[in-house]
């Protein structure tokens, strides 16, 4: 790993942050509590993001997209997550769902889907996990069998972000079970493909406005030209995809943590005990200082990881895992401390830090648990 790789925020990055923050505070923040309470997908927010051309800014220019760099995309996710983690997944999930196509898809496949993604006409989910194959992807049971000019898929996927609302799915299935992870292939599945269906929504602790469901494939027949890359290259696509998207979860975690910190700072300045603002108490000041320090450290690591992804550095795998792990652990710590600073109020739904604490937890789990991330980082260091 290089200890000297750097990045810089351009004027365009700063202007983007300002614009997204204004939009988030104006259009999304007032809806955040209701989105969580109703546990329904915020189609109004979806349309706001679509109108602002923020649904898929990562799509390259040659396919009609903005071609935004990774840091720009992480800023968008961060600023939306600062007010509503569920809404940030509209953007982050779409990138996860399309990144395999961008990295490994044929030119024909890219031309077929990416312009529509860039226009916001279609959106993608990512389907890898199964009930018995979470971290151990090589054990997946979903099968894809070649049948003439088609593949027939059978099996099920679980914990799929955006399931039931997105129009397309990047699905991993085994085309050669005897080869384990080397027998996995990637496919594009349409929501209206015969034999494809979506299960009921999971009842979750947090990010309730982002639906999470199982997917079912029952003799789901799709054209053979919807395979992403060659047969057996799906797991390699998985690894490359996650190298580019784990830092987006880091960005989401930073946004959640920043939102909790902002709320806590405002509260301790206003709350009075013993005749003075609790912000004057040294114990509170130490907590605020530690929270702010960790949030900024996490943000810097996320930006370094995204800059590394932009350059295609050799240390990307380590940095991507490190940024996701550190930022999500930070988000959990900071939101917990924010609830503590609010006292009894923080434990109620009258204030946002309770929701932020619940939302933060998933960032330590999805796109690879933080325990798995530590294994990934250790392998990078020791080999």
């Amino acid at each position: 790993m290089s200890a000297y790789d750097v990045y810089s925020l351009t004027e365009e990055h700063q202007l983007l942050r300002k614009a997204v923050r204004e939009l988030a505070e104006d259009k999304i923040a007032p809806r955040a509590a209701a989105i969580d309470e109703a546990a329904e997908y915020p189609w109004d927010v979806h349309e706001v993001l679509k109108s602002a051309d923020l649904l898929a800014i990562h799509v390259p220019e040659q396919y009609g997209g903005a071609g935004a760099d990774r840091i720009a995309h992480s800023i968008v996710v961060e600023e939306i997550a600062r007010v509503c983690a569920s809404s940030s997944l509209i953007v982050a999930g779409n990138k996860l769902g399309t990144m395999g196509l961008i990295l490994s898809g044929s030119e024909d496949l890219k031309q077929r889907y990416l312009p529509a993604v860039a226009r916001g006409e279609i959106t993608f989910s990512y389907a890898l996990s199964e009930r018995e194959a979470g971290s151990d992807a090589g054990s997946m049971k979903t099968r894809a069998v070649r049948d003439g000019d088609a593949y027939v898929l059978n099996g099920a996927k679980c914990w799929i972000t955006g399931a039931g609302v997105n129009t397309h799915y990047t699905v991993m299935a085994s085309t050669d079970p005897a080869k384990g992870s080397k027998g996995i292939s990637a496919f594009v599945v349409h929501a209206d493909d015969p034999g494809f269906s979506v299960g009921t929504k999971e009842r979750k602790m947090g990010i309730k406005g982002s639906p999470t469901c199982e997917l079912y494939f029952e003799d789901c027949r799709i054209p053979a030209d919807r395979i992403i890359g060659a047969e057996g290259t799906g797991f390699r696509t998985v690894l490359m995809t996650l190298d580019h998207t784990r830092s987006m979860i880091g960005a989401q975690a930073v946004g959640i943590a920043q939102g909790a910190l902002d709320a806590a700072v405002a509260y301790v300045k206003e709350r009075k005990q013993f005749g003075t603002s609790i912000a004057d108490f040294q114990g509170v000041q130490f907590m605020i200082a530690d929270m702010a320090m960790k949030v900024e450290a996490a943000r810097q690591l996320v930006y370094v990881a995204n800059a590394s992804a932009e350059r295609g550095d050799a240390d990307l795998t380590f940095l991507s895992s490190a940024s996701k792990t550190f930022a999500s652990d930070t988000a959990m710590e900071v939101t917990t401390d924010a609830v503590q600073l609010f006292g009894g109020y923080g434990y109620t739904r009258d204030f946002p830090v309770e929701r932020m604490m619940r939302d933060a937890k998933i960032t330590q789990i999805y796109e690879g648990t933080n325990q798995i991330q530590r294994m990934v980082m250790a392998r990078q260091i020791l080999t």
Side-chain angles (χ1 to χ4, degrees), residues 190-248:
H190 298 188
D192 59 359
D193 281 333
F196 171 81
S197 60
V198 178
T200 57
K201 288 195 302 183
E202 302 285 356
R203 299 170 61 203
K204 299 178 299 184
M205 175 190 295
I207 56 166
K208 293 182 178 181
S210 176
T212 303
C213 311
E214 288 195 341
L215 307 180
Y216 304 114
F217 306 89
E218 299 176 87
D219 292 330
C220 178
R221 190 179 186 88
I222 64 172
D225 62 4
R226 286 210 223 138
I227 190 170
I228 300 174
E231 278 196 11
T233 63
F235 193 65
R236 186 173 67 189
T237 296
V238 167
L239 297 179
M240 290 192 299
T241 295
L242 295 176
D243 276 350
H244 285 265
T245 59
R246 280 175 175 151
S247 55
M248 289 300 112

Side-chain angles (χ1 to χ4, degrees), residues 108-262:
D108 175 71
L109 217 54
K110 292 177 183 178
Q111 292 288 354
R112 196 183 313 174
Y113 294 109
L114 292 180
V117 172
R119 293 191 297 269
E121 295 170 359
I122 64 174
T123 50
F124 271 73
S125 284
Y126 184 74
L128 171 65
S129 295
E130 299 179 3
R131 292 288 176 188
E132 302 302 323
S135 300
D136 181 13
S139 296
M140 70 173 57
K141 303 299 183 187
T142 300
R143 301 286 184 255
V145 177
R146 184 69 183 258
D147 182 22
D149 60 355
Y151 282 94
V152 179
L153 278 62
N154 281 282
K157 297 293 180 179
C158 66
W159 304 307
I160 307 305
T161 299
V165 299
N166 287 331
T167 59
H168 293 70
Y169 298 80
T170 294
V171 178
M172 302 298 162
S174 178
T175 46
D176 191 345
K179 292 183 178 179
S181 62
K182 293 182 180 180
I184 294 172
S185 302
F187 302 88
V188 174
V189 175
H190 298 188
D192 59 359
D193 281 333
F196 171 81
S197 60
V198 178
T200 57
K201 288 195 302 183
E202 302 285 356
R203 299 170 61 203
K204 299 178 299 184
M205 175 190 295
I207 56 166
K208 293 182 178 181
S210 176
T212 303
C213 311
E214 288 195 341
L215 307 180
Y216 304 114
F217 306 89
E218 299 176 87
D219 292 330
C220 178
R221 190 179 186 88
I222 64 172
D225 62 4
R226 286 210 223 138
I227 190 170
I228 300 174
E231 278 196 11
T233 63
F235 193 65
R236 186 173 67 189
T237 296
V238 167
L239 297 179
M240 290 192 299
T241 295
L242 295 176
D243 276 350
H244 285 265
T245 59
R246 280 175 175 151
S247 55
M248 289 300 112
I249 301 306
Q252 181 190 41
V254 168
I256 295 169
Q258 186 66 59
L261 174 61
D262 292 347

